Every structure is written in C-alpha cells, then in structure tokens.
C-alpha cells in the first residue's frame, strides 16, 4: 500500500501566534509531495521538519485571504535561489498568477525554473490534477470570497497477487500484469488458474478532504463523504457562533456535524482563532458530537 499522509505546517487563522503559523499542510502520496495553502512561515516549518521542499512540484491555494497564500512568493523565490530547474505547478484562483508575477516583476526576478498556474473555479467541482494513482478535485466552499476545498483521492487499485503464489509459481511479468488486471492465467503445461485463486482484492482507495475556510455548508457533504480524514476549519467555539456566521467561518460543533453527516473516519480540526491559547476546549467540544476528532498541531502527521 502506498504511503499517504498529511503533515500540519500551520494551523492558525488570520493572525499567527508564537507557536502557530497560518494555514499550510503537506500531503505525501507515495513520496510525491503536494503543498496545500502556503501561509507565512511555511518554508520555515518545512525546514524545521527536515522536509526537502525542492521535492514539492504542485501547490494548491484555496483562496486569496493572506493567511493562506502570503508565504507563496517567499517559497517561489527560495526555490529559485536554491537553483531549482524543474517546473512548479500552482493551482488557485484566477488572480493568483497576476499577484505572483507582479511581485517577481518588481523585484526583477527571472526564475530559473518554469512556473505554471492552473486556475481553479470556486463555482463548481472539477478535477484539477491527475496522475496514474491520484486525483485532486477542487470544490466550492462558502466564504466571504471565492474559496475551494480540495479532495485528494486514490484511484481504484489493481488486484494483489497472493504471496504464496509469487513464491511457488514462476509467472512471467507480462502475465502478472494481466492477472492484476483481473484475468485468469494458464501456465506452460496448460493448467488454468482462476483469478480468484491467484489474487486478493485491491487495497481500499483512500481519500483526504481539505476544507478551509468556510461557513457551515452541507453542500460539501456529498463530495467528502466517506473520507478517511476530513480537515475542517474550526475558527471558533460554539459560544461564538454569531462571530463565525458573520465572518463565514465554522465552529467546532458545525465541523463535527459535517463529519457526522459525511460519515468520515476521522476529523481533524484547525484554523484556530488567535484568541485561543488552550486548544483542548475546541477538541472536547468537537468530540462531544464526533468522537474521532484530532487537533491540527504544527509538526503533527496523520496517516491514512
């Protein structure tokens, strides 16, 4: 089974604190690294965790509030200064390219590497990235400005050849490929083996859903349903529900309700208001509705 995990680089909302950076996360799928949002301090967090950020080839920006992208130009610049030559792909709102290109222009920076921008559309759900094993889908959030969530979903896997078969039979490689695709096998003597004899079911496909920033929005439930991990913002405790509604953010109980409706396996909460030094009350409140809840804390890794 492929490696699939999420590392928290930043968990604060608009204002960073002494121990919490604005939003940023690293998704690792089979050692392919994807950055999701890039608040201030992201590249420092990457260095602190000894993550080689030259290996990041795709960056996804949810929206253009500063706490979600003010670290991007710094990272783009550092990659250039470190001699990067391979392309970098950035996915985000239509205006993002203009912002980054202007910063490069006024600083007279000519990047050593190709920088490609891919426009996301906050009004619809669409696949924005795809490889042989993974898709990334953007989908609308409910916020003060156009905002998207991102769903990282594994494609259905191939069947797995049983270990004892591999050890006891010398099956040619081309036939092994066919067997994994569901075909039966006939050996050199003419004996036929059914696929069920030779294989096990594929590993279950896993999904990670990133939802920040948003007010309570049940329209996301069909998209994130059954996710192994749902990250959902919880800027406020429930006693500040009016503040959350005014600012188009969510409370702990609202995030927990979405997790319940979507029948996800685990909820990770973050994007905490800087007013909260102690995060335990947010965790306790979310767990009162959805027990399988964890806090997003800088440096923490969640495995799917």
């Amino acid at each position: 089974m492929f490696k699939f995990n999420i590392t928290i680089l930043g968990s604060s909302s608009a204002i960073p604190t002494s121990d919490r950076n604005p939003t940023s996360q690293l998704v690792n799928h089979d050692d392919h690294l994807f950055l999701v949002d890039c608040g201030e301090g992201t590249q420092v967090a990457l260095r602190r965790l000894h993550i080689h950020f030259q290996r990041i080839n795709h960056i996804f920006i949810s929206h253009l509030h500063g706490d979600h992208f003010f670290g991007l130009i710094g990272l783009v610049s550092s990659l250039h200064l470190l001699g990067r030559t391979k392309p970098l792909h950035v996915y985000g709102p239509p205006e993002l390219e203009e912002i980054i290109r202007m910063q490069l222009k006024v600083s007279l920076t000519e990047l050593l590497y190709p920088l490609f921008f891919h426009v996301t559309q906050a009004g619809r759900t669409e696949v924005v990235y795809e490889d042989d094993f993974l898709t990334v889908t953007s989908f609308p959030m409910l916020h003060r400005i156009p905002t998207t969530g991102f769903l990282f979903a594994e494609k259905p896997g191939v069947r797995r050849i049983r270990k004892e078969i591999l050890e006891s039979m010398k099956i040619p490689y081309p036939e092994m490929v066919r067997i994994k695709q569901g075909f039966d096998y006939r050996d050199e003597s003419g004996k036929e083996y059914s696929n069920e004899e030779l294989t096990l079911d594929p590993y279950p496909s896993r999904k990670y859903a990133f939802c920040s920033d948003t007010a309570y929005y049940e329209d996301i439930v069909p998209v994130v349903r059954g996710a192994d991990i749902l990250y959902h913002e919880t800027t406020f405790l429930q006693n500040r529900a009016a503040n959350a509604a005014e600012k188009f953010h969510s409370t702990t109980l609202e995030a927990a309700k979405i997790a319940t409706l979507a029948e996800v396996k685990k909820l990770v909460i973050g994007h905490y208001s800087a007013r909260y030094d102690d995060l335990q009350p947010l965790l306790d409140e979310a767990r009162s509705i959805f027990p399988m809840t964890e806090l997003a804390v800088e440096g923490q890794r969640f495995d799917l």
Side-chain angles (χ1 to χ4, degrees):
M1 182 180 291
F2 290 138
K3 181 185 299 182
F4 196 177
N5 58 57
I6 296 91
T7 300
I8 305 302
L9 305 174
S11 65
S12 188
S13 57
I15 301 175
T17 71
S18 59
D19 58 355
R20 297 200 299 265
N21 294 324
T23 300
S24 185
Q25 298 181 8
L26 187 80
V27 177
N28 182 334
H29 186 262
D30 191 30
D31 288 326
H32 292 84
L33 304 185
F34 304 87
L35 191 66
V36 187
D37 278 349
C38 191
E40 298 171 66
T42 294
Q43 61 177 309
V44 175
L46 289 165
R47 285 190 178 278
R48 186 178 295 118
L49 294 170
H50 306 290
I51 295 169
H52 300 294
F53 50 77
Q54 289 283 17
R55 293 173 53 206
I56 298 171
N57 296 322
H58 302 272
I59 300 175
F60 300 86
I61 302 298
S62 62
H63 65 296
L64 294 182
H65 279 154
D67 54 318
H68 294 261
F69 84 100
F70 277 171
L72 180 58
I73 185 60
L75 180 58
V76 166
S77 177
S78 291
L79 293 172
H80 162 74
L81 294 172
L82 291 169
R84 183 186 181 101
T85 58
K86 62 181 178 179
L88 179 66
H89 296 264
V90 178
Y91 307 76
E95 302 85 358
L96 181 59
E97 179 173 9
E98 179 184 359
I99 294 168
I100 299 301
R101 298 285 188 201
M102 178 60 71
Q103 291 173 303
L104 294 172
K105 178 181 178 181
V106 298
S107 64
L108 301 181
T109 301
E110 295 186 14
L111 296 177
L112 298 172
Y113 62 89
L115 178 60
F116 297 106
F117 287 87
H118 307 267
V119 173
T120 56
Q121 302 293 336
R124 64 174 184 261
T125 298
E126 61 181 350
V127 174
V128 293
Y129 169 84
E130 182 174 11
D131 61 30
D132 290 341
F133 305 103
L134 188 76
T135 61
V136 182
T137 300
S138 66
F139 55 96
M141 300 277 89
L142 180 61
H143 197 41
R144 290 194 298 113
I145 64 173
T147 302
T148 61
F150 296 104
L151 178 71
F152 292 76
E154 287 181 320
K155 294 181 177 180
V158 296
R159 298 191 64 79
R160 297 175 288 143
I161 298 179
R162 296 176 184 270
K163 183 178 179 181
E164 62 270 23
I165 298 297
L166 288 173
E167 293 174 347
S168 63
M169 298 174 62
K170 294 182 179 180
I171 302 175
Y173 177 76
E175 291 299 323
M176 289 178 61
V177 172
R178 284 175 50 81
I179 292 168
K180 289 181 178 180
Q181 293 172 345
F183 291 95
D184 297 335
Y185 170 64
R186 188 189 302 272
D187 67 16
E188 293 180 351
S189 70
K191 182 177 179 180
E192 187 158 334
Y193 299 83
S194 70
N195 193 265
E196 289 73 17
E197 293 178 83
L198 302 174
T199 65
L200 300 170
D201 290 338
Y203 288 116
S205 298
R206 295 163 292 177
K207 296 192 295 186
Y208 171 61
F210 173 89
C211 298
S212 184
D213 296 3
T214 186
Y216 181 77
Y217 191 46
E218 290 188 6
D219 284 13
I220 70 174
V221 169
V223 182
V224 306
R225 186 178 303 281
D228 294 84
I229 297 179
L230 166 66
Y231 170 82
H232 195 292
E233 71 126 291
T234 50
T235 308
F236 298 102
L237 285 164
Q238 189 62 29
N239 62 6
R240 289 188 174 270
N243 299 72
E246 178 186 2
K247 299 177 183 295
F248 287 85
H249 284 299
S250 295
T251 68
T252 48
L253 297 189
E254 290 170 340
K257 185 176 179 183
I258 291 293
T260 301
L261 291 172
E263 300 176 294
V264 304
K265 295 178 182 177
K266 179 181 290 186
L267 170 66
V268 176
I269 58 174
H271 198 264
Y272 318 113
S273 168
R275 63 171 40 85
Y276 301 118
D277 293 322
D278 181 10
L279 300 178
Q280 190 63 41
L282 287 92
L283 180 62
D284 292 342
E285 197 165 79
R287 281 182 172 175
S288 71
I289 289 182
F290 194 81
M292 293 301 295
T293 302
E294 302 289 343
L295 292 171
V297 178
E298 268 68 357
Q300 186 165 1
R301 192 183 79 185
F302 297 94
D303 293 298
L304 282 76

